[in-house]
Amino acid sequence: MQRIRKAVIPAAGYGKRFYPLTRAQPKEMLPVLDKPVIHYVVEEAVSSGLDEILIIVGAGKDAIINYFDKNKMDDELDNYGFKGMPDIYFVRQKEQKGLGDAIRYAKNFTGDDDFVVLLGDTIYKSETERTVTSQLINLYEKTGSPSIIVERVKAEKIRDYGIVDGEKVSDDVFRVRSIVEKPDPSDSPSDLGVTGIYILGPYIYECLENIPLGRNGEYQLSDAYNLLVKKMDVFALIMKGKRYDIGTKELWIKTFIEFASKHGGYG
Ligand code: G1P
């Protein structure tokens, strides 16, 4: 079994739900306390042993690229992990056509390797000694199969997530039958929401080539999964930890306040 070393971080969406904040800055650059969200995502990758990182950006996202440039302050203020940070690669999605389209741009970077996808707008805090990403890598190392992190979501939040229809394999693992992208709560197959950590392999690109435009007129990664489950086992793991979705203004404000209130200096 190959050790997973590659992380793909899509950060190319419009950030519509943050308008007007995101008119001139990417939502992934919104601050949570003293760092932008994307920094936490890269930290999650690095602390999970992923040392080759690709960030998929799009129009208006240059600030993300600039953020990871060497800065003359880095040596002086070395408490943010920039010194040991691995090289970060960037690719530009030509047009914003959805998550499923964005992942296609990772093909040359990932080559024959399996890889982790971490969404650029989500922060994780693990409740175990393993990061949430490492929890999924641990499952992958046992099965060798594509896998995704899920969490139980409240009924009113179901329409914000991809929801897994699955068959229970153990307390926290399900074999995925399908993913329904943002269903109406009354039609939802379960309360298992896709959080935004995925382990995939090169086989996903063929699926991505064969999906039609999906929900919201975008290419959906969930639709590619629905092709994938016909060919191989796909597992969903309920994470042990907390997830901070920076996907809406309300969630961002809540996250900021929670991080600040727990900080020794600002609390
Ligand atoms: C994406 C995925 C969805 C997933 C969600 C997690 O949606 O399409 O399946 O549940 O991320 O945040 P988005 O939030 O980009 O609309």
Side-chain angles (χ1 to χ4, degrees), residues 1-4 134 136-145 199:
M1 161 103 34
Q2 55 176 284
R3 183 171 88 76
I4 296 206
S134 304
L136 193 65
I137 293 175
N138 186 44
L139 173 68
Y140 160 84
E141 283 172 349
K142 288 178 191 149
T143 64
S145 299
I199 294 180

Side-chain angles (χ1 to χ4, degrees), residues 41-55:
V41 180
V42 168
E43 280 176 346
E44 170 76 17
V46 173
S47 54
S48 307
L50 307 173
D51 54 10
E52 294 180 48
I53 297 174
L54 173 76
I55 303 183

Side-chain angles (χ1 to χ4, degrees), residues 3-35:
R3 183 171 88 76
I4 296 206
R5 300 188 54 176
K6 291 182 177 171
V8 171
I9 305 177
Y14 278 119
K16 258 185 238 159
R17 286 169 284 203
F18 280 96
Y19 194 86
L21 258 179
T22 44
R23 273 174 67 96
Q25 79 161 342
K27 70 170 173 179
E28 296 81 6
M29 286 302 292
L30 291 174
V32 171
L33 211 55
D34 53 359
K35 290 181 289 199

Side-chain angles (χ1 to χ4, degrees), residues 39 71-83:
H39 191 138
N71 184 299
K72 60 180 185 301
M73 305 294 276
D74 290 347
D75 294 333
E76 230 176 280
L77 304 169
D78 183 41
N79 48 352
Y80 291 93
F82 280 103
K83 249 186 176 171

